[in-house]
Amino acid sequence: MERTRILIIEDNNDIRESTAEILILGNYEVFQAVNGKDGVELAIKHLPDVILCDIMMPELDGYGVLHLLNKTPETSAIPFIFLTAKTERVDMRKGMEMGADDYLTKPFDDVELLNAIECRVKKRDLQKQLYSQSLDKLDSLLNSNRGLEELARLISERKVRNIKKKQVVYYQGDTVNGVYLIVSGSVKTFKVAEDGRELLTGIYGQDEYFGVASLLANENYHETSEAMADTSLCLLPKDFLEPLLNKYPVVAAQFIKLLANNVLNKEEQLLQLAYHSVRKRMAEVLIRLSNIKDASTKGILLSMSRDNLAAMTGMATETVSRILSDFKDEELIERKGSQILILDHLRLRTMKN
């Protein structure tokens, strides 16, 4: 069985050598670099499974190392862990935003080091499985279709970014940097009204793309996107996608289809806001969310906060609470905190008022 390969980039000889010794005892294959420049060269040459990298180093610091490795598809997907002194912890937000996967605060003990490595290796393997699941769903489109094969290759080579619940992916007005594919989790997109209320424009789940409209229009993002749960994302960069869209019409057609479906869904939401009663609007939202979950007609469990339901229906949160209480009294749903169990899917779907 091939051993897991670890690259250590650290200019402090004592720390580097002691870390290497621990990992070798743990049956890892270890490469060592005394500065950032050598570390980048070793990473490209050996393609390790995990990289441990100090921040403050001569010639090229840790941020520079991460930046250069992220520019190369072969190295951008390698799990990257920063080694940082306690005084540098305030700078870790910068590293995480650049795509670092984790960090260890020096001095760290043997258990911390080995746990961090094992955690990253397990997550890498899980992400590969999730990638395979996402790509398998494209199989029917890939037969003798070079453009979609290129798109699949692009997805498989990109690094997964893990974000926490309520973390913003991009803000309205940010420069478009690509399209996002959700590997796991869920994301909402929304606009903020002048009075501060959120208006949800979309909810996206596993294997779905968002940010497509802004990319095709070549404009800044039109809305803010935020994780609704702990989520794994794959960014398909603009610089990678645009040549595919121009070279392979079938790829462009797929994204246009996604965009068209989004437009149709938003038109339906506008009609509901204009003509349906608040009860009917709430019922329609619950039905739409249950369809996203691809659940059966009974016992559908949804996790959705009052604020998100209010944003989707254009109601005040107090109105949402009142209608949900009515639905509960009518035995249409059950409520368990932020979870809603739909008991009678058919009655909700056929609600008149």
Side-chain angles (χ1 to χ4, degrees), residues 186-219:
S186 58
V187 169
K188 69 177 181 179
T189 56
F190 61 91
K191 291 178 177 287
V192 179
E194 291 184 0
D195 60 3
R197 287 185 302 166
E198 289 183 4
L199 175 62
L200 249 66
T201 56
I203 292 180
Y204 304 87
Q206 185 174 333
D207 299 317
E208 293 185 320
Y209 299 87
F210 63 98
V212 176
S214 297
L215 177 80
L216 295 180
N218 196 27
E219 296 180 358

Side-chain angles (χ1 to χ4, degrees), residues 28 39 49 68 96 106-107 117 121 123 136 140 154 156 183 194 224 232 237 254 278 314 330 349:
Y28 293 104
D49 297 295
L68 291 176
M96 302 305 279
K106 296 183 282 191
I117 296 290
V121 171
K123 284 195 173 183
D136 286 345
S140 61
L154 170 60
S156 67
V183 178
E194 291 184 0
T224 298
S232 297
Q254 290 298 317
V278 290
E330 296 166 31
R349 186 179 292 277

Side-chain angles (χ1 to χ4, degrees), residues 6 8 19-28 30 52 113-114:
I6 312 295
I8 306 170
T19 301
E21 184 178 352
I22 294 169
L23 293 175
I24 291 170
L25 289 172
N27 199 33
Y28 293 104
V30 179
L52 302 173
L113 173 64
L114 294 172

Side-chain angles (χ1 to χ4, degrees), residues 199 273 278 281-282 285 288 308-316 320:
L199 175 62
L273 288 173
V278 290
R281 276 152 53 187
M282 179 60 68
V285 165
R288 190 161 69 246
N308 283 333
L309 285 173
M312 292 189 74
T313 56
M315 305 177 195
V320 169

Side-chain angles (χ1 to χ4, degrees), residues 329-341:
D329 293 341
E330 296 166 31
E331 297 184 347
L332 296 170
I333 65 170
E334 285 186 3
R335 294 183 63 187
K336 301 176 181 179
S338 62
Q339 292 188 318
I340 300 172
L341 181 66

